[in-house]
């Protein structure tokens, strides 16, 4: 059985299948609704139900408070229709966004590598190429009744037949536990995508002559990796800076590749910062957190850039504060948080509306 969903202010109506979420139905119809974690944890996809009945699904009580439910709010990534429904959603126009339809894909795992003690690189050769914007992610289906998990694509969009995922093991996490402990090269997998609104705003950079600043931490490097690769492959001549943070040298991955790219491209600068590297080691690079390294590298003046931040919530918060102190403000800062269930209780930054 299906119901009809009307999305305001667009005035568009679409059919939603039984058990299908509002977000999935919209994205598969080519209608973008703001979203991030896709698991009811972050609240990015919050909508207003104007008419009809919905099931809230597994929406977190922290991302969607009880009083908000009573006011008719819902999370599009979890909500399912129980009648014909009319919703109101924030639909922003983004000149650089490509509204690519979400589709299902099948593929074969070609290789798995230990990038660090806690992060695995997984390469999947797809039966059909996936079209995506650098910075977007896919939902990888987990066997059994565990649904799917979101992983950013680390490879360039030019490699549409084989994608790279960087998967950090989350203690107790069923999805990441399966990837780290059970998934093998040669296995068949199912995934859907592309998802997300994290991409470079090239038209703004070109119009305003702004440089690109990427700040990444841990497996949050995956999205900036794809973005940097695409910019360099396309011949971008604007200044591109990547500041990548890890706890120690053994937790730092793709370091040699970015070091090589920095020698090959005069407009690309790569800075690696280690926050917990043992004293006396042979590490000669920056020490401290990502925001510390950024502040030192730019002399606390980030004007002339747009910044793209990707990593755990605490890293994002610290970087936003540093960037704003260095005279870079909300309109020039874009974020992609890596949110786990443990992060659901964290409060959003009061300084930054898009977080």
């Amino acid at each position: 059985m299906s119901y009809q969903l009307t999305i305001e202010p667009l005035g568009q109506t679409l059919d939603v299948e039984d058990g299908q979420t509002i977000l999935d139905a919209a994205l598969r119809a080519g209608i973008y609704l703001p979203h991030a974690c896709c698991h009811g944890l972050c609240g990015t996809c919050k909508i207003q139900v104007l008419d009809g009945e919905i099931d809230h699904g597994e929406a977190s009580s922290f991302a969607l408070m009880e009083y908000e439910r009573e006011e008719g709010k819902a999370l599009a990534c979890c909500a399912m229709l129980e009648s014909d429904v009319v919703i109101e959603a924030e639909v922003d126009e983004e000149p650089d966004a490509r509204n690519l339809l979400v589709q299902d894909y099948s593929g074969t795992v070609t290789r798995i590598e230990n990038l660090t003690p806690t992060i695995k690189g997984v390469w999947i050769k797809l039966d059909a190429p996936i079209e995506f914007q650098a910075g977007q992610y896919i939902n990888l289906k987990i066997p059994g009744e565990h649904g799917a998990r979101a992983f950013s694509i680390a490879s360039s969009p030019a490699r549409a037949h084989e994608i790279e995922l960087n998967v950090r093991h989350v203690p107790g996490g069923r999805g990441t536990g399966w990837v780290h402990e059970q998934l093998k090269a040669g296995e068949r997998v199912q995934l859907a995508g592309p998802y997300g609104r994290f991409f470079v705003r090239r038209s703004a950079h070109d119009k305003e002559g702004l440089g690109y600043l990427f700040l990444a931490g841990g497996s949050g490097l995956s999205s900036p990796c794809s973005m940097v690769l695409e910019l360099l492959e396309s011949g971008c001549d604007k200044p591109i800076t990547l500041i990548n943070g890890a706890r120690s040298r053994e937790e730092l991955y793709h370091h040699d590749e970015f070091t090589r790219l920095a020698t090959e491209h005069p407009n690309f600068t790569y800075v690696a910062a280690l926050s917990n590297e043992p004293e006396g080691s042979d590490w000669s690079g920056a020490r401290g957190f990502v925001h510390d390294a950024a502040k030192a590298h730019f002399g606390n003046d980030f004007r002339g850039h747009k910044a793209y931040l990707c990593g755990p919530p605490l890293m994002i918060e610290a970087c936003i504060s540093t960037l704003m102190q260095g005279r870079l403000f909300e309109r020039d800062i874009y974020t992609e948080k890596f949110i786990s269930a443990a992060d659901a209780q964290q409060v959003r930054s009061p300084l930054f509306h898009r977080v």
Side-chain angles (χ1 to χ4, degrees):
M1 181 178 182
S2 66
Y3 294 108
Q4 286 197 321
L5 172 69
T6 301
I7 302 175
E8 298 294 355
L10 300 177
Q12 291 184 249
T13 299
L14 56 143
D15 291 329
V16 181
E17 298 299 321
D18 187 37
Q20 186 178 28
T21 67
I22 290 174
L23 178 62
D24 186 65
L27 294 177
R28 289 178 184 274
I31 301 171
Y32 176 80
L33 298 182
H35 62 280
C37 75
C38 287
H39 297 294
L41 300 176
C42 68
T44 303
C45 64
K46 196 170 294 180
I47 56 173
Q48 180 72 45
V49 178
L50 301 178
D51 188 43
E53 300 296 325
I54 59 100
D55 179 346
H56 287 288
E58 298 182 358
S60 162
S61 59
F62 294 96
L64 186 68
M65 301 291 188
E66 188 60 38
Y67 76 88
E68 292 179 302
R69 299 173 194 234
E70 294 173 357
E71 292 174 350
K73 292 183 171 58
L75 300 185
C77 71
C78 297
M80 292 171 282
L81 306 193
E82 294 185 330
S83 70
D84 291 344
V85 168
V86 179
I87 66 167
E88 185 175 47
E90 292 184 13
V91 183
D92 296 330
E93 290 294 328
E94 288 277 7
D96 294 288
R98 300 175 60 200
N99 290 322
L100 302 170
L101 272 65
V102 169
Q103 301 182 59
D104 296 314
Y105 296 88
S106 299
T108 302
V109 178
T110 54
R111 60 188 171 115
I112 299 177
E113 292 184 8
N114 292 322
L115 300 178
T116 79
T118 60
I119 299 174
K120 284 186 181 291
V122 179
W123 283 262
I124 302 172
K125 186 174 183 180
L126 302 173
D127 297 345
I130 181 172
E131 191 174 5
F132 68 97
Q133 286 189 267
Q136 290 189 296
Y137 65 90
I138 56 91
N139 276 340
L140 180 65
K141 186 176 180 180
I142 308 302
E145 301 299 321
H146 304 312
R149 298 295 184 272
F151 299 111
S152 294
I153 304 173
S155 45
S156 165
R159 298 186 61 187
H161 272 96
E162 185 177 45
I163 60 172
E164 176 190 348
L165 309 177
N166 302 154
V167 181
R168 179 178 69 89
H169 185 251
V170 178
R174 291 174 177 174
T176 62
W178 170 70
V179 171
H180 275 251
E181 299 163 8
Q182 300 178 46
L183 186 63
K184 306 295 182 185
E187 288 191 32
R188 297 284 293 172
V189 294
Q190 311 293 319
L191 57 93
Y195 294 96
R197 210 67 158 183
F198 192 55
F199 55 86
V200 294
R201 273 65 177 180
R202 293 197 68 161
S203 61
H205 286 271
D206 293 340
K207 180 180 179 180
E208 302 174 39
L210 301 174
Y212 296 85
L213 171 58
F214 298 95
L215 305 179
S219 60
L221 175 63
S222 51
S223 291
C225 180
S226 179
M227 294 161 133
V228 168
L229 290 175
E230 182 184 47
L231 286 171
L232 295 178
E233 290 168 359
S234 69
C236 173
D237 58 1
K238 299 287 189 302
I240 304 169
T241 304
L242 168 62
I243 300 182
N244 179 32
R247 287 178 55 81
S248 63
R249 181 63 183 89
E250 67 174 358
E251 290 286 347
L252 184 67
Y253 69 98
H254 288 346
H255 177 69
D256 293 340
E257 178 181 2
F258 284 117
T259 300
R260 175 184 59 80
L261 289 171
T263 63
E264 295 175 354
H265 299 271
N267 63 317
F268 175 53
T269 301
Y270 169 62
V271 178
L274 303 182
S275 62
N276 199 34
E277 177 69 2
E279 293 294 334
S281 73
D282 61 357
W283 175 252
S284 59
R287 290 176 181 263
F289 295 105
V290 173
H291 62 282
D292 296 323
K295 183 176 182 178
H297 182 78
F298 286 95
N300 199 33
D301 186 351
F302 301 102
R303 288 174 296 176
H305 294 83
K306 280 188 179 290
Y308 302 86
L309 285 53
C310 192
L314 289 178
M315 185 214 96
I316 298 293
E317 296 290 339
C319 287
I320 289 173
S321 177
T322 297
L323 291 172
M324 294 182 76
Q325 290 173 24
R327 304 181 72 178
L328 197 67
F329 301 106
E330 181 175 346
R331 73 182 186 91
D332 291 319
I333 303 174
Y334 303 92
T335 69
E336 180 83 316
K337 283 185 180 180
F338 277 26
I339 300 175
S340 67
D343 299 318
Q345 300 182 33
Q346 293 194 19
V347 179
R348 291 180 173 192
S349 170
L351 301 176
F352 199 75
H353 300 302
R354 281 202 299 260
V355 174

